[in-house]
Structures are given as structure tokens and as C-alpha cells.
Amino acid sequence: MSHIMPDPARLPANTGPAGASPFDALRRLRPDGAEFWHARDLQPLMGYSQWSKLKTPLERAMAAARNTGLDVDENFARSGKVSGSRGPAQEDYALSRLGAYLTAMNGDPNKPEVAAAQAYFAVRTREAETAPAIVPLDPATPEGALALARQYVRVAEQLVHADRRVRELEPKAAVHDRFLSADGGDRLVRQAAKEMGWRESQLRGFLIAERLIYQRQRPCGGVEYDFYAGPGDHFATAETLVRHRNRPGQCAHYTLYIRPAGLALIQARVDKRRLGR
């Protein structure tokens, strides 16, 4: 297996302006040029700390492939990944582009890392499927004409599905990339609302309804917002000491910021509401 290696020269461009995607770096090629991703390589990038957690979306993806008539062994090839010089090889799968796409689509929608994987593989699947298809049979023969017609229908159906997913996911990926490429990545609520095309009051109300943040009163009587401990990695606050004319000493004011991972979390919550789940 030593002749299978990443091919940086042929990696596709990233979906957003921030540069090469980390999923590109994990892309590998077989001797025949077919690309694949190791499931264990994708595990941390999709936000799963344990292999057993990734097995759930993997098994769902394989079931979906099997139910739609896809070749499971071709798209989810079993393999073993050696973790060291001793012990048996760890369970792993070599995922085709379609296999990785199905795995991402069956992942936890609340994980921002899964949302990023969905956006990446949806765009890559569409790019691959818009490439001219190779028909091995002679289209001048009845068999070749039939094969061409079937291939056309299959690709057209895939493109309809992929286009729908790209229209849904590309805006999310673009917003996510703009956050990541900004200095520090953190945004005020009004800045995040503008990026999403929302009003600031609308976004604040949504965050409160989702129990991600809450409103509290300052000692001086003003109103400010803070985040709950659960989604703490997705938000941040900055303290500013303010002097008031009618109050002795200084008053601490806290400004709420949304981190890049917070934007993906918000988008996942929006999708969940839209789908009624």
C-alpha cells in the first residue's frame, strides 16, 4: 500500500476564500487515479473524539448506499490502519468521495465540523459529477445507446440532488470561511447578524430561544448578554470598565462575541428548526 499517497498537485480548490481545505490534505489516490479518504483521518476533522462515535454515521451511510443500490464495498472499502509497531491493525474504511459525502450527511447536524464536511463533500461531489462521463460502449449500437441514456438519467438525478445541497450549503461555507479568515475570527452579534442577512434583534432573540445566551442586568442598570456554560467554546465575552457620573468607582460591562464555531452551531440550529427536528 506504499504506492497510495496524497497528490497535492491535483487537489481541487477550496470551497471558500480562506485557502486549501483540511479535507484536501487528507485526500488520497489509488494507482488507478481514484480518490479516497480514510475514515479514521476524517474522524477528528468531523468533531468525533472516539472511533465508536463515527461508526454510527458510517453505518447509516452504508445502509443508505445499500438501499439505493450503490456498491457498498466499492464506496466503503474495509481496511486496517496500523497504530504502532505492535498489536492488530485498527478498523478503518477507505471512503470514496460519495462514501465520504454520505457519511458527512449522516453525521451529527449540531457539530460545526460536520456542517463543514457536508459543505466540502457536497461541492466536491457536484464538481466531479459535472465532468464528462465516459461511456465504454459504442453509442451507435442499441446497447451503447441504452447505456448512454441510463448514464445520462443517473447523472442528471445526481446533479439535481447535488445542486440542491450546494445551494443550501455553499452560503454556510462562505460565511464560515469569512469568519475564519477574519482577524481572530470573533464577531459582535450585530456583525454576525449582518453576515447571515439577519437583523441584530432577530439573531439575539434566536440565541435566547435556543438557550445559547441569556440577558442580564448590569449593576448600573443597563442590559447585557452572556452565554451559558454548555456552548462556552462557541462564544466569548470582553470586559470593559466604565465610570459613571452618578456612581462611585468603576462598572464592568461585558460585550458578547460569537466565535467561528458558534456560527456553524447557529446554522445547525437554524437547519434543525427548518427541518422540524
Side-chain angles (χ1 to χ4, degrees):
M1 299 292 285
S2 60
H3 51 274
I4 300 177
M5 61 188 68
D7 184 15
R10 296 179 55 190
L11 296 183
N14 186 38
T15 56
S21 167
F23 294 102
D24 287 336
L26 300 179
R27 176 177 176 265
R28 294 176 177 272
L29 293 178
R30 301 185 187 278
D32 62 359
E35 61 183 1
F36 71 97
W37 286 260
H38 281 300
R40 282 194 179 269
D41 289 343
L42 293 176
Q43 175 192 330
L45 212 56
M46 290 179 63
Y48 293 99
S49 58
Q50 299 176 355
W51 170 250
S52 59
K53 301 295 185 183
L54 181 63
K55 282 295 295 293
T56 298
L58 258 175
E59 290 170 354
R60 289 175 181 168
M62 287 188 280
R66 189 178 300 108
N67 292 335
T68 53
L70 296 173
D71 190 329
V72 176
D73 292 334
E74 178 182 341
N75 292 286
F76 301 86
R78 272 185 169 275
S79 63
K81 189 168 186 179
V82 179
S83 60
S85 58
R86 297 181 179 179
Q90 296 176 313
E91 180 187 20
D92 199 3
Y93 291 87
L95 307 179
S96 68
R97 184 194 310 107
L98 181 57
Y101 170 71
L102 290 173
T103 302
M105 297 310 298
N106 282 278
D108 184 351
N110 292 318
K111 287 183 176 292
E113 298 91 344
V114 170
Q118 290 176 349
Y120 173 85
F121 285 110
V123 173
R124 290 298 175 267
T125 300
R126 182 183 183 278
E127 289 176 348
E129 290 171 348
T130 53
I134 299 175
V135 181
L137 298 177
D138 184 358
T141 66
E143 293 83 358
L146 180 59
L148 178 62
R150 286 175 174 170
Q151 204 166 41
Y152 176 81
V153 171
R154 179 178 58 82
V155 172
E157 290 174 345
Q158 291 173 338
L159 285 177
V160 168
H161 175 71
D163 279 337
R164 188 181 301 119
R165 292 300 299 161
V166 167
R167 286 195 299 271
E168 178 183 344
L169 293 171
E170 271 191 322
K172 305 173 192 177
V175 173
H176 190 256
D177 285 339
R178 285 198 296 272
F179 263 62
L180 290 176
S181 61
D183 292 338
D186 295 350
R187 281 287 190 270
L188 292 167
V189 174
R190 67 168 178 270
Q191 293 173 319
K194 184 176 180 181
E195 294 275 4
M196 297 174 64
W198 289 21
R199 297 188 305 275
E200 180 181 359
S201 59
Q202 183 183 9
L203 179 55
R204 286 192 189 276
F206 179 81
L207 295 177
I208 291 174
E210 288 292 310
R211 296 190 61 79
L212 296 175
I213 69 171
Y214 61 92
Q215 178 180 302
R216 67 183 182 188
Q217 192 170 21
R218 294 171 179 153
C220 60
V223 172
E224 63 187 11
Y225 299 86
D226 202 352
F227 56 89
Y228 289 102
D233 293 339
H234 301 82
F235 299 91
T237 56
E239 180 186 38
T240 303
L241 296 178
V242 178
R243 290 186 178 275
H244 299 288
R245 294 180 180 178
N246 58 344
R247 291 178 61 91
Q250 295 179 319
C251 181
H253 289 196
Y254 293 90
T255 303
L256 180 69
Y257 287 86
I258 301 176
R259 290 178 169 171
L263 180 69
L265 174 63
I266 293 168
Q267 191 63 64
R269 293 291 183 91
V270 171
D271 291 344
K272 186 175 181 181
R273 281 200 176 192
R274 184 181 297 120
L275 296 173
R277 295 185 297 186

